[in-house]
Amino acid sequence: MVEQITAMLGLVGILSILCQWLGWKLRLPAILPLLICGLLVGPGFGILNPDAVFGDLLFPIISLGVAVILFEGALTLNFSEIREHGRMVTNLVSIGTLITWAIIGCATHFIMGFSWDLSMLFGALVVVTGPTVIVPMLRSIKPKAQLASILRWEGIVIDPIGALLAVLVFEYIAVAADPTTHVLHSLVYMLGIGIGLGASAGYAIGIVIRRALVPHYLKNTAVLTIMLGVFVLSNLVQEESGLLTVTVMGIWLANMRGVDIDDIIEFKETLTVLFISGLFILLAARLDSQALLNLGWQGIALLCVVMFIARPVSVWCCGIGSSLARADKWFLSWVAPRGIVAAAVSSLFAIKLESQGLPGAEQIVPLVFLIIIGTVVAQSLTASRWARFLGVKSGSSQGLLIFGASKFARALAKVLLSKNVPVILADNNWDNIRLSRMDNIPVYFGNPASEHAENAIDMSGVGRLLVLSPYRQLNPLVTFHYQDVLGKDKVFGLNNNEGNSARHKLSESYQQRLCLFGESVSYTRLATTMAKGGVIKVTSITDNFTFTDFKRRYGEMALPLIYLQEGKVKLITEAITDLPVGIELISLLSAEALSDTQLSDESKAKKVK
């Protein structure tokens, strides 16, 4: 039996990675291959029967996995960030959540015949979308920057809010189903334990992190272990309160001042990918295909209500008074795929409710999976055409993500931003990030190739990556990561290959991308020029002042970097002899070039006199 459990865990792990890779390769939400895989190895071929294999261990596995997922999601719920991303996002995750919940809950009661309690629980479970399904979809759709930002931040923020709503509804049902307790008294006690213990634990961990009471290498592991311990303790003190506790704990940490949780979020996201993938295969393998078919026309009708009534009503109500056009609202009305959080939480609640003998509880999981399948498949296949029909697809993305926030990168970013070119600086050096923020440049602090960066960096309107950092070990990682995201011809770096020994040799495919600003330009050259008083200058190339005049004026001490032509950004990646007129040339001028030009101008002025 032990060997069988070990073999099944190994199989689930391998299949999880394969499904994640397939989703990345096909630019589809990973939930689709995970769902298909789970159905195939479970009810399809009968290879995996989670209940038979894991027995009594299955519930603790699902329970701990859901706790980690909810805690990680709650860590991203920073209230200040919600306000920063506009009124529409705030409305969607507050008013929109309540509208969607009410419509789906009522529809479930009248269509499926569920009790009001179970109907409202189902409504709470399927209000969430989630970044794991939204982000891959946005990459293939490529809508306007504003719409992509709204959908992306809605998915990030609504995860913990929807989960918290579902936990509260479930706890109400749990105490109401117990005839020996007073409902209001038990609910208040459960909320008190969940909120009180969660806030206390979150504050305590925040103090530990703020004061560096544990070494850096133990921080992530300590937070995970303490979170799981608090989850178990909460359930021991008050049954079913653990999920609320860890959600409140994560929200408290996310909003506590002076607490840096970026490393924790990145670690938790890596862990969550494993939990999400493994859990979803296990949950899909438990699904009874006959139970899906038994939902019949009622299930299809409820799916239509979710997609064609609840979402549009929510978007149009939340959009009142906003600057969104009608086409924007119609696009947002269609894109709201449900994600893995709904599947994981619903499966956990269903097991608990079935043990209490609640009528209809066995239909919760098949119904949630039907909503997930319907929304993800339908919207993945049609959203791009819908965006094109409405005219909300973005043009070619001219924005730049720059890895490395050195003095040169900051000066270049300021010039580009002044020309209305979107720029984001990413760096894991806090001093560079601090100076960038002082210049009002959008920034990301950390490794831009991390899972955290994928959710935190708003890539709307960004089409290319410039690697301008001195980090020789990290540069290739960032380069190859964004070649997969943006395309191989959209990533450029500096030629910093100054070592000649075999151990310092770089791969040929990587070296081909090290041509930014010319093959002879390195980070050292740029940094030295800036340190000696160099400046970045914008020059208009016209019929009266051609590129030949520019070279004659500044000589070889001027380094052309980028030029802007009819709203498009053109990178210079090789030695140039001529440039067209009607452009704005951005170049790096050395102090010597500026000095010589000033002396020449003064000499000409004297001759004129």
Side-chain angles (χ1 to χ4, degrees), residues 291-322:
L292 270 175
L293 298 175
N294 289 341
L295 295 174
W297 69 266
Q298 292 96 333
I300 301 299
L302 187 57
L303 174 62
C304 291
V305 169
V306 171
M307 291 196 298
F308 298 111
I309 298 178
R311 177 63 175 181
V313 170
S314 171
V315 168
W316 282 83
C317 288
C318 293
I320 295 174
S322 71

Side-chain angles (χ1 to χ4, degrees), residues 171 190 193-194 234-235 237-246:
E171 290 181 350
M190 185 175 290
I193 293 295
S234 181
N235 280 334
V237 174
Q238 175 62 45
E239 193 175 357
E240 316 299 354
S241 65
L243 295 179
L244 175 60
T245 299
V246 297

Side-chain angles (χ1 to χ4, degrees), residues 353-369:
L353 293 175
E354 286 176 30
S355 67
Q356 295 179 359
L358 190 68
E362 71 282 354
Q363 291 183 285
I364 285 288
V365 174
L367 199 55
V368 168
F369 271 84

Side-chain angles (χ1 to χ4, degrees), residues 70-90:
L70 293 186
F71 180 65
E72 186 273 327
L75 285 175
T76 64
L77 187 55
N78 190 306
F79 296 122
S80 62
E81 288 186 353
I82 299 176
R83 292 189 293 269
E84 288 174 5
H85 291 281
R87 177 179 176 183
M88 190 63 184
V89 174
T90 305

